[in-house]
Amino acid sequence: MAKILRVNMSKLKANLEDLPKEYQGLGGRALTSAIICKEVPPLADPLGTENKLIFSAGILAGTSVPNSGRLSVGGKSPLTNTIKEANSGGAAAQKLVKLGFQAVVIEGSAKELTSLKIDKNGVTFIPAASYRELGNYGVIERLKREFGDNIAIISIGPAGEWKLKTGSVAVTTPDFHIRVAARGGLGAVMGSKNLKAVIIDDTNGDKVELKDKAKFREASTALSKGILSHPLIGIFKELGTSCLVMMMNAYGCLATKNYSLGQFEGAEKISGEHMVELMKKRPNGQNVHRCMDGCIINCSNIFTDEMGEMIVSGLEYETIGLVGSNCMIDDLDIIARINRVCNDIGIDTMDIGGAVAICMEAGLLAWGDGKAALNLVEEVGKKTEKGLMIGNGCKFTGEKLGVKRIPHVKGQCLAAYDPRSLKGTGVTYATSPMGADHSCGNAIPNPANPAYNPSAPTGQGPVSQFLQSYFAAIDSLGLCLFASLPLLDIPELQGLLVSCVSAKSGEPLDENYLINLGTSVLKAERKFNSAVGFTTKDDRLPRFFLEEKLLPSGNVFDVPEEEIDGVHKF
Ligand code: SF4
């Protein structure tokens, strides 16, 4: 039976627990949120000892279901003050379940900076004073040298140690590139525990138990084939997530100039198409890369400089949008370098991109000045006043500089989709329990569903409601978002996914399993947030989205408040 590993950092003690009854059958976001709801007082200080940090493998982690190895990281967020789950690719979740752990719960706070090694023999606490303020790239290099290749590393950079509100959690891929559970400042929560890194070595680990192997194999194989048959997957394979730059630009919703425009004149220069051509010419550049074993899409990349030195892996749409078009920066090399600095210091590229744009709006640097933006982001690592300001996110920065147009909900910066043209996504930004978070339910235009109009003022509430439930379930299974998109257009594939869960657990599950699971996760998360003090008044976009016309469409965000408030009336 899968277990919970409880680690008390104050006492430097670890305990193994069978999954209590109320947590059985859960994984990923469903499990992190269930533990927070039960064990963290809603009014706890996110950076205090009452808060907990939870790493959880998804329900299907370690199996042959494609793209199912994402790691959920949960806690109460210092950025939003809400419940939070951020998830990441990488190798950690698959290794955890092979050691028999569905989740690791970090409690208390160590007196000194400490790392944790988890392997078949148990848990070892390792003094980490010599790692103090070391960036994630250096941490990974040293730990790999010390512990070998068969490990996954979860770590924080200096920003997490300094408890900056954009502090992120880095997770290594099988080939030791960095993926990030970026949003909500969970790296700061890890820093508040004085936990620098978790090293997971699954040597001699066990295979994940499947109750009905034949049924599982049949469903999993058919699911893989079905996912690969969807036309969208071919685009992700070729261009990665940066395919979205030209798509969103054409649709007039590419976040541009601190959300004052929906199209960017330099879009082609930061597009996936341009990146592919650039990487073809550069030594060691890769347009195809996978963040976890078992990925059948390989949407990621390795972005190199002209000499073939890796700058960053992978360079994704959200970073390109927030750091690029939203700051009017049309240079992929500069964007990649800013991405690298963020990964190393351990800060969220999205909230940082939002904060840099706010600084541009305030006149601290010129629109489109990539070098000045890079210098500003590097200031976070130098702990200058401006660096610490942007390191606390776009809302903090906007309030400090007296900027009126701050694109956030519940303290978290929006993603690179303007909600005036993608109104279903706008409803998700407004009502998600996580603050503005596109991955909770992004309603982008879909050629397979031409009847859906993303910029219509009505009908968006039910769309967002369905997507939020669906993706809460996907986050609980540990499935990558891109592998889950074809299932929205090919409902039989949802049946196959449910069959995989059923064949793994041996429990019969009906066709409503995914929506019921997702809905129960959302209900619990909303209940936690209500106890913190959040009400429907907090489920609103900043007023400028309702009042300023987005060019060139002229759209405003005009979804009626009753429709927004109906989303979580389950
Ligand atoms: S499709 Fe992309 S994000 Fe998903 S598992 Fe593969 S490489 Fe990772």
Side-chain angles (χ1 to χ4, degrees):
M1 179 198 267
K3 298 196 184 308
I4 289 185
L5 176 66
R6 249 177 225 281
V7 179
N8 186 318
M9 295 298 290
S10 303
K11 296 181 180 160
L12 298 186
K13 286 214 161 109
N15 268 340
L16 259 188
E17 263 176 28
D18 286 339
L19 266 183
K21 203 163 174 214
E22 67 262 42
Y23 300 156
Q24 281 173 21
L26 303 182
R29 176 173 163 185
L31 186 51
T32 60
S33 288
I35 294 173
I36 295 159
C37 288
K38 178 144 187 278
E39 302 183 17
V40 176
L43 299 180
D45 172 1
L47 300 176
T49 49
E50 283 188 317
N51 196 10
K52 300 193 180 187
L53 181 72
I54 301 129
F55 303 111
S56 177
I59 293 166
L60 290 169
T63 72
S64 62
V65 168
N67 303 40
S68 61
R70 286 187 82 80
L71 179 78
S72 287
V73 185
K76 187 181 174 191
S77 160
L79 185 76
T80 61
N81 217 25
T82 64
I83 197 165
K84 193 78 198 172
E85 185 262 2
N87 57 65
S88 167
Q94 290 169 335
K95 288 188 184 291
L96 275 181
V97 288
K98 285 180 186 156
L99 292 169
F101 304 127
Q102 196 67 49
V104 180
V105 181
I106 309 291
E107 304 174 341
S109 176
K111 287 197 181 68
E112 305 291 343
L113 194 64
T114 303
S115 290
L116 204 62
K117 176 148 189 277
I118 305 172
D119 59 26
K120 193 73 181 164
N121 300 318
V123 176
T124 315
F125 294 90
I126 305 169
S130 67
Y131 285 75
R132 186 170 300 286
E133 300 188 351
L134 188 59
N136 281 309
Y137 289 104
V139 170
I140 291 164
E141 199 187 304
R142 272 183 65 181
L143 290 176
K144 196 177 150 219
R145 221 180 305 133
E146 186 170 351
F147 296 105
D149 282 351
N150 198 35
I151 58 170
I153 300 163
I154 304 169
S155 62
I156 53 171
E161 293 178 51
W162 301 332
K163 304 182 192 71
L164 295 184
K165 289 181 183 177
T166 64
S168 60
V169 177
V171 184
T172 53
T173 64
D175 50 356
F176 293 95
H177 291 293
I178 290 176
R179 291 297 175 276
V180 192
R183 309 230 71 197
L186 293 171
V189 179
M190 191 160 157
S192 75
K193 310 282 171 211
N194 247 334
L195 177 61
K196 181 68 178 174
V198 181
I199 304 126
I200 307 159
D201 184 340
D202 66 343
T203 303
N204 299 324
D206 300 313
K207 281 192 174 160
V208 171
E209 188 191 2
L210 302 171
K211 294 283 188 209
D212 186 337
K213 284 187 190 150
K215 182 179 161 190
F216 187 92
R217 203 177 309 119
E218 192 183 333
S220 170
T221 306
L223 179 62
S224 297
K225 275 191 193 151
I227 290 171
L228 289 172
S229 72
H230 194 284
L232 195 58
I233 298 303
I235 301 172
F236 279 126
K237 272 173 171 285
E238 196 188 333
L239 300 176
T241 59
S242 53
C243 68
L244 291 164
V245 173
M246 293 312 284
M247 281 186 208
M248 295 306 119
N249 196 56
Y251 202 71
C253 64
L254 178 66
T256 303
K257 205 177 184 189
N258 192 27
Y259 298 85
S260 58
L261 298 166
Q263 288 182 330
F264 178 42
E265 58 188 16
E268 270 185 32
K269 288 193 196 163
I270 59 169
S271 66
E273 290 80 349
H274 181 63
M275 195 193 315
V276 165
E277 288 312 311
L278 208 57
M279 286 308 103
K280 276 187 198 159
K281 285 185 214 144
R282 291 189 178 175
N284 307 322
Q286 279 186 35
N287 289 308
V288 174
H289 182 258
R290 63 181 184 176
C291 73
M292 66 175 75
D293 288 339
C295 168
I296 56 172
I297 303 173
N298 298 355
C299 82
S300 195
N301 51 56
I302 297 179
F303 192 97
T304 58
D305 65 15
E306 281 165 358
M307 305 304 291
E309 280 293 311
M310 194 266 294
I311 301 177
V312 78
S313 169
L315 186 54
E316 310 284 352
Y317 169 75
E318 300 305 336
T319 302
I320 296 173
L322 267 304
V323 174
S325 54
N326 199 45
C327 296
M328 306 285 279
I329 296 171
D330 63 1
D331 181 337
L332 278 177
D333 281 287
I334 287 278
I335 298 167
R337 287 194 189 281
I338 291 174
N339 195 159
R340 182 183 178 89
V341 172
C342 289
N343 283 3
D344 200 36
I345 302 172
I347 43 179
D348 172 21
T349 56
M350 295 170 69
D351 238 284
I352 291 294
V356 172
I358 293 272
C359 290
M360 289 174 167
E361 187 145 320
L364 263 57
L365 61 166
W367 288 109
D369 188 340
K371 285 193 181 130
L374 177 58
N375 289 339
L376 178 59
V377 176
E378 282 173 341
E379 285 196 40
V380 182
K382 294 173 189 156
K383 276 178 113 172
T384 67
E385 197 180 333
K386 271 192 258 168
L388 293 177
M389 175 182 72
I390 68 164
N392 278 310
C394 104
K395 175 173 181 263
F396 185 91
T397 302
E399 287 173 351
K400 186 100 180 160
L401 296 177
V403 170
K404 292 214 167 60
R405 302 170 70 263
I406 311 176
H408 79 97
V409 176
K410 302 183 183 82
Q412 182 164 276
C413 184
L414 269 59
Y417 312 87
D418 196 296
R420 286 164 287 193
S421 286
L422 294 194
K423 293 179 186 171
T425 302
V427 175
T428 299
Y429 288 151
T431 60
S432 153
M434 308 284 161
D437 190 330
H438 69 293
S439 70
C440 287
N442 197 4
I444 56 176
N446 179 1
N449 182 12
Y452 173 59
N453 177 1
S455 56
T458 56
Q460 305 297 345
V463 170
S464 172
Q465 182 184 54
F466 168 76
L467 291 176
Q468 287 193 57
S469 292
Y470 176 73
F471 284 110
I474 293 300
D475 291 342
S476 304
L477 298 182
L479 210 63
C480 149
L481 188 144
F482 307 110
S484 73
L485 293 177
L487 282 64
L488 290 167
D489 294 333
I490 314 173
E492 313 77 278
L493 299 184
Q494 292 183 32
L496 290 171
L497 182 61
V498 176
S499 291
C500 291
V501 180
S502 168
K504 177 178 179 256
S505 65
E507 301 286 332
L509 298 170
D510 67 24
E511 75 232 28
N512 297 318
Y513 166 76
L514 290 176
I515 285 301
N516 287 345
L517 172 65
T519 303
S520 69
V521 172
L522 289 169
K523 267 187 187 172
E525 292 171 344
R526 292 281 294 186
K527 198 170 162 200
F528 182 91
N529 287 351
S530 295
V532 175
F534 287 95
T535 70
T536 51
K537 289 198 179 74
D538 299 296
D539 293 342
R540 297 289 180 264
L541 294 182
R543 283 222 65 85
F544 76 87
F545 289 110
L546 282 63
E547 292 164 352
E548 280 180 25
K549 287 185 177 169
L550 177 68
L551 296 176
S553 63
N555 288 336
V556 291
F557 185 77
D558 51 2
V559 177
E561 288 189 352
E562 314 80 72
E563 194 167 315
I564 296 171
D565 292 342
V567 167
H568 289 296
K569 287 191 180 138
F570 299 105

